[in-house]
């Protein structure tokens, strides 16, 4: 693949990701988007449950499977290594876009906080969650995480090197601040519907499972440095007892 084509591909994938990320905020929060997690009504049904579960599963499988080192080794026999991460980001974004499009709302209410102070607290937590996600990506390397660094290095004719193991600010409080931010954003809602609960439960289960795969890979790659970090810093809950 030519350098200009690779850079263009990488930036298209990044733009799609960022639009998809912004849409996720509106989708989960039921704000400023044409279709959200509860828009359009819709009662609980087995069909809706199955469709939503399949959509969530599709994203989970793609997002986890394509991140494994063995898959990357096999995958880069067919696609250029410099666009591997951009392709991962592109496909993850498309899976989420499909979820937004085909999601079946189930709007039976499980809780609905009416007090202004309670609603403001939950809204603040919702915003804090998304802010934590975004900030955490920049603390390590936003450009590397979403494939932009890889294609830019390729354009400059430089060899790609992994960013290495580092634990800035939030990463000293928890090992996975990105996941923590998602969990806060997904659960902090003044109005919890059946569909939103399914989304929150499924994504929480996926995050807890994905962490196990991710930490296995990190331990394999970084060895004792990550083992010591894992003993010293809790997984998701700040100030919790050390994870063994």
């Amino acid at each position: 693949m030519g350098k200009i084509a690779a850079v263009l591909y990488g930036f298209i994938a990044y733009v799609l990701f960022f639009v998809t990320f912004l849409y996720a905020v509106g989708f989960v929060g039921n704000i400023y988007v044409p279709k959200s997690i509860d828009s359009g009504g819709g009662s609980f049904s087995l069909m809706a449950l199955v469709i939503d579960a399949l959509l969530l599963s599709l994203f989970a499988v793609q997002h986890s499977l394509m991140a494994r080192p063995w898959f990357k080794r096999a995958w880069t026999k067919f696609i250029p290594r410099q666009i591997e991460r951009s392709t991962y980001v592109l496909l993850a974004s498309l899976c989420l876009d499909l979820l937004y499009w085909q999601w079946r709302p189930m709007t039976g209410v499980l809780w609905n906080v009416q007090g202004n102070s309670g609603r403001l607290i939950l809204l603040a937590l919702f915003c804090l969650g998304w802010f934590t996600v975004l900030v955490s990506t920049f603390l390590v390397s936003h450009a590397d995480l979403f494939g932009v660094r890889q294609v830019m290095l390729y354009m400059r004719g430089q060899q790609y090197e992994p960013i290495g193991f580092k634990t800035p600010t939030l990463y000293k409080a928890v090992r996975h601040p990105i996941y923590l931010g998602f969990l806060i954003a997904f659960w902090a809602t003044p109005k919890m519907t059946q569909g939103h609960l399914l989304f929150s439960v499924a994504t929480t289960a996926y995050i807890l499972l994905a962490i196990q795969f991710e930490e296995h890979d990190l331990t394999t790659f970084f060895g004792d440095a990550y083992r010591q970090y894992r003993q010293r810093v809790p997984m998701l809950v700040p100030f919790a007892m050390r994870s063994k």
Side-chain angles (χ1 to χ4, degrees):
M1 174 177 279
K3 293 182 178 181
I4 294 177
V7 170
L8 182 61
Y9 180 85
F11 274 87
I12 289 173
Y14 177 78
V15 169
L16 179 61
F17 145 73
F18 201 73
V19 171
T20 300
F21 175 81
L22 292 177
Y23 197 99
V25 179
F27 181 80
V28 177
N30 292 296
I31 49 175
Y32 306 128
V33 294
K35 183 178 180 181
S36 69
I37 202 166
D38 295 324
S39 65
S43 58
F44 175 85
S45 70
L46 182 59
M47 180 62 73
L49 178 64
V50 169
I51 290 173
D52 292 347
L54 287 173
L55 291 167
L56 289 162
S57 298
L58 177 63
F59 172 78
V61 170
Q62 181 276 327
H63 197 258
S64 188
L65 182 66
M66 291 188 69
R68 304 282 66 80
W70 62 265
F71 187 94
K72 292 179 182 181
R73 288 192 295 270
W75 185 231
T76 49
K77 294 178 181 178
F78 302 98
I79 66 165
R81 187 173 300 273
Q82 59 270 13
I83 64 166
E84 179 272 326
R85 187 66 184 181
S86 293
T87 303
Y88 172 81
V89 170
L90 176 65
L91 293 177
S93 298
L94 291 174
C95 285
L96 283 176
D97 293 337
L98 178 64
L99 185 148
Y100 303 152
W101 176 37
Q102 290 298 321
W103 182 262
R104 302 297 193 264
M106 294 181 285
T107 55
V109 177
L110 300 170
W111 76 65
N112 190 6
V113 177
Q114 299 292 337
N116 287 336
S117 57
R119 295 180 71 86
L120 285 174
I121 289 171
L122 289 168
L123 178 60
L125 286 171
F126 175 80
C127 294
L128 176 64
W130 289 110
F131 182 74
T132 300
V133 170
L134 191 58
V135 168
S136 297
T137 67
F138 283 99
L139 292 176
V140 280
S141 175
H142 185 84
D144 190 271
L145 191 60
F146 298 106
V148 175
R149 178 171 173 260
Q150 290 85 331
V151 296
M152 291 303 295
L153 287 173
Y154 176 63
M155 185 182 73
R156 293 196 291 264
Q158 298 176 347
Q159 186 70 27
Y160 172 77
E161 294 291 339
I163 59 174
F165 179 57
K166 56 182 181 178
T167 59
T169 53
L170 292 178
Y171 288 85
K172 290 181 170 63
V174 292
R175 301 196 301 271
H176 301 280
I178 294 175
Y179 287 145
L180 174 60
F182 278 127
L183 290 173
I184 293 171
F186 294 162
W187 285 97
T189 176
K191 184 179 180 181
M192 179 63 77
T193 63
Q194 295 162 337
H196 196 147
L197 181 66
L198 171 65
F199 182 91
S200 298
V201 169
T203 51
T204 299
Y206 167 68
I207 284 171
L208 295 176
L209 180 62
I211 285 174
Q212 306 311 309
F213 290 123
E214 186 174 321
E215 294 212 323
H216 175 270
D217 293 343
L218 290 169
T219 301
T220 300
F221 196 79
F222 294 113
D224 287 340
Y226 195 81
R227 291 188 189 94
Q228 293 169 9
Y229 174 63
R230 190 176 180 180
Q231 292 176 350
R232 188 173 67 252
V233 178
M235 183 171 72
L236 287 169
V237 182
F239 314 115
M241 294 179 63
R242 295 179 303 177
S243 176
K244 300 298 184 183

